[in-house]
Amino acid sequence: MTENNFWLKKIEISVSEAEKRTGRNAMNMQETYTAYLIETRSVEHTDGQSVLTDSLWRRYSEFELLRNYLLVYYPHIVVPPLPEKRAEFVWHKLSADNMDPDFVERRRIGLENFLLRVASHPILCRDKIFYLFLTQEGNWKETVNETGFQLKADSRLKALNATFRVKNPDKRFTELKHYSDELQSVISHLLRVRARVADRLYGVYKVHGNYGRVFSEWSAIEKEMGDGLQSAGHHMDVYASSIDDILEDEEHYADQLKEYLFYAEALRAVCRKHELMQYDLEMAAQDLASKKQQCEELATGTVRTFSLKGMTTKLFGQETPEQREARIKVLEEQISEGEQQLKSKNLEGREFVKNAWADIERFKEQKNHDLKEALISYAVMQISMCKKGIQVWTNAKECFSKM
């Protein structure tokens, strides 16, 4: 797609609201869905002029349509993933309902992050369909479908066939595919461990509420110790209730990990496309070699390998010289076309590898930076949580000391 002048300016993009709606789907059936308000605002403007803000509503399915389009038109790019459609790796107190307000809020943040990822990408940000996604509410789906991207999408069966039948896979892409599988496995395990820890932590914190109840009851029967016990019980109650906010904050760090869980599939998509291109190249080379062999056999009158044509010749007699010359001419034309196609596929393959690897290197830098920041922030949050626990018991100790 050509560069749009709009993207030469700096803009701010946000998904500012989520709204529950009811309507009819393509089957004319009633359905409930969530719509998200996208706002865009130009940062650079002439002095004295007001800054115009564009806004429109989009469904999650429209975000999906945008990403599917980007996957087809930019197969060499690690296209940013969307946030999960339904909650995964949840601990037992967290709702898995995709209409749950907390989940919708986290998904709103994830959708905003997706748009910011695309907008900051040096190639994707200039795409016309992406620009229209942000600015054209009506007929946007029709505009996407008019690109015919669905017809260009590779079939899953063809991709699976290429995976098992390609003879000379690129070692770099094979290793990248294995890495993406391992990255997905590691992050999945990490999220499961975090969910189990959250379950147990929730129980530990909430059971401290029993301290609060017991100290409060005890204070009622004591005169000298009553005030101290009552104050200590209050600190225990505050400690017990603090876990809800702590685990809600943790979910945002979990969502950052989930983004790279889904990025693993985006890496595999690039690898699959390369496998398909390599498979097509090998099939074209094989077909060309076969035609050259047929042409040589016709020219020399010798058959090197068993063929149906050879059996037919033995049964029904030799071709006339004119027939053989006509076939040779057709084969020579096919060979010429095949050589051009093979040359074109080789150039296309080299260009794909060059562009894909450049984007993969860009992605690696982004991944290393993001995951480092996320893990550090998570560790800082755990340290802060422990310090608050120490403070609660320090306050309780002071209460006991004053009795």
Side-chain angles (χ1 to χ4, degrees):
M1 306 298 288
T2 58
E3 178 175 328
N4 192 296
N5 290 334
F6 175 83
W7 292 111
L8 297 178
K9 299 179 180 180
K10 294 181 179 179
I11 64 165
E12 291 180 352
I13 302 173
S14 65
V15 180
S16 57
E17 293 181 35
E19 183 177 279
K20 187 176 180 180
R21 294 183 177 182
T22 303
R24 293 194 174 275
N25 58 21
M27 303 294 292
N28 201 32
M29 297 176 66
Q30 190 88 349
E31 66 171 347
T32 301
Y33 62 91
T34 305
Y36 299 88
L37 181 64
I38 301 173
E39 294 184 335
T40 55
R41 185 173 69 92
S42 175
V43 175
E44 297 179 357
H45 59 283
T46 306
D47 292 340
Q49 292 185 348
S50 60
V51 178
L52 297 177
T53 300
D54 289 323
S55 64
L56 47 76
W57 293 89
R58 295 285 186 206
R59 295 182 59 172
Y60 184 88
S61 59
E62 291 175 290
F63 281 87
E64 286 182 312
L65 183 61
L66 171 63
R67 186 171 187 274
N68 289 337
Y69 158 81
L70 294 175
L71 284 169
V72 172
Y73 265 86
Y74 303 95
H76 62 282
I77 287 176
V78 185
V79 178
L82 291 170
E84 56 194 349
K85 194 165 188 176
R86 288 177 176 78
E88 299 177 20
F89 303 103
V90 297
W91 53 286
H92 80 280
K93 287 292 182 182
L94 198 67
S95 174
D97 180 10
N98 64 339
M99 287 294 177
D100 177 74
D102 290 335
F103 173 73
V104 169
E105 171 60 16
R106 289 197 306 277
R107 190 162 70 176
R108 180 196 66 75
I109 295 171
L111 291 173
E112 179 176 289
N113 185 61
F114 165 75
L115 294 180
L116 293 175
R117 292 281 196 203
V118 176
S120 63
H121 193 281
I123 297 173
L124 298 181
C125 72
R126 294 180 172 86
D127 184 85
K128 181 180 177 182
I129 296 298
F130 176 55
Y131 167 67
L132 294 177
F133 180 84
L134 299 173
T135 58
Q136 178 182 305
E137 188 159 14
N139 301 320
W140 178 79
K141 286 184 181 179
E142 290 76 5
T143 304
V144 181
N145 292 328
E146 284 171 2
T147 64
F149 81 94
Q150 296 98 330
L151 300 175
K152 298 179 182 180
D154 300 312
S155 72
R156 292 184 179 181
L157 182 61
K158 185 179 178 182
L160 185 64
N161 189 45
T163 299
F164 289 104
R165 296 186 64 183
V166 68
K167 294 178 182 178
N168 299 300
D170 188 310
K171 184 180 178 182
R172 290 175 300 172
F173 284 93
T174 301
E175 291 175 351
L176 181 65
K177 194 174 182 180
H178 290 158
Y179 169 76
S180 65
D181 290 339
E182 291 171 359
L183 178 66
Q184 188 174 46
S185 177
V186 167
I187 294 180
S188 294
H189 289 319
L190 187 60
L191 287 166
R192 289 192 186 97
V193 169
R194 183 260 158 187
R196 289 199 297 270
V197 170
D199 269 329
R200 296 184 183 183
L201 199 61
Y202 183 84
V204 169
Y205 267 69
K206 287 301 181 184
V207 82
H208 277 71
N210 293 334
Y211 279 132
R213 178 177 55 80
V214 171
F215 287 152
S216 180
E217 292 173 354
W218 190 1
S219 68
I221 64 172
E222 298 287 352
K223 291 183 179 180
E224 291 81 3
M225 298 169 58
D227 290 342
L229 290 169
Q230 186 71 37
S231 297
H234 171 72
H235 289 302
M236 293 298 110
D237 289 337
V238 170
Y239 184 67
S241 62
S242 66
I243 190 60
D244 297 291
D245 290 336
I246 290 172
L247 293 182
E248 182 58 37
D249 289 340
E250 272 198 16
E251 285 304 313
H252 295 297
Y253 295 112
D255 288 338
Q256 290 176 337
L257 290 176
K258 287 178 183 179
E259 182 186 17
Y260 281 93
L261 179 73
F262 305 140
Y263 255 125
E265 176 55 32
L267 282 173
R268 283 196 293 270
V270 176
C271 295
R272 283 196 299 268
K273 183 62 180 180
H274 180 263
E275 285 175 342
L276 272 169
M277 295 180 73
Q278 179 65 23
Y279 179 67
D280 286 342
L281 178 66
E282 291 177 3
M283 290 298 99
Q286 184 178 316
D287 183 60
L288 179 61
S290 175
K291 283 183 169 56
K292 285 182 175 180
Q293 182 179 328
Q294 291 177 46
C295 191
E296 183 184 346
E297 290 173 352
L298 282 170
T300 61
T302 59
V303 180
R304 297 181 183 177
T305 57
F306 171 81
S307 68
L308 182 62
K309 186 64 183 176
M311 289 296 296
T312 304
T313 300
K314 289 182 179 180
L315 290 172
F316 300 104
Q318 296 289 332
E319 294 176 312
T320 64
E322 292 79 10
Q323 289 174 325
R324 188 164 59 250
E325 286 299 320
R327 286 188 60 209
I328 289 174
K329 185 177 181 181
V330 170
L331 280 170
E332 285 176 344
E333 290 176 356
Q334 292 176 345
I335 288 170
S336 178
E337 290 176 4
E339 287 174 339
Q340 289 298 318
Q341 289 179 0
L342 190 62
K343 183 180 179 181
S344 176
K345 287 182 182 294
N346 265 310
L347 289 172
E348 185 183 356
R350 285 197 290 269
E351 187 69 14
F352 177 89
V353 170
K354 175 186 173 184
N355 293 334
W357 215 250
D359 197 63
I360 288 165
E361 291 299 323
R362 178 203 60 80
F363 165 77
K364 286 179 179 178
E365 290 183 12
Q366 171 195 301
K367 171 187 68 72
N368 293 343
H369 174 269
D370 289 351
L371 290 180
K372 176 183 176 181
E373 290 297 314
L375 292 172
I376 290 174
S377 297
Y378 183 76
V380 169
M381 191 185 74
Q382 298 299 314
I383 293 169
S384 175
M385 180 177 65
C386 292
K387 286 181 177 178
K388 288 178 181 177
I390 292 171
Q391 187 60 51
V392 164
W393 281 104
T394 300
N395 293 339
K397 176 189 173 184
E398 291 177 359
C399 293
F400 298 148
S401 298
K402 293 176 181 178
M403 290 192 303

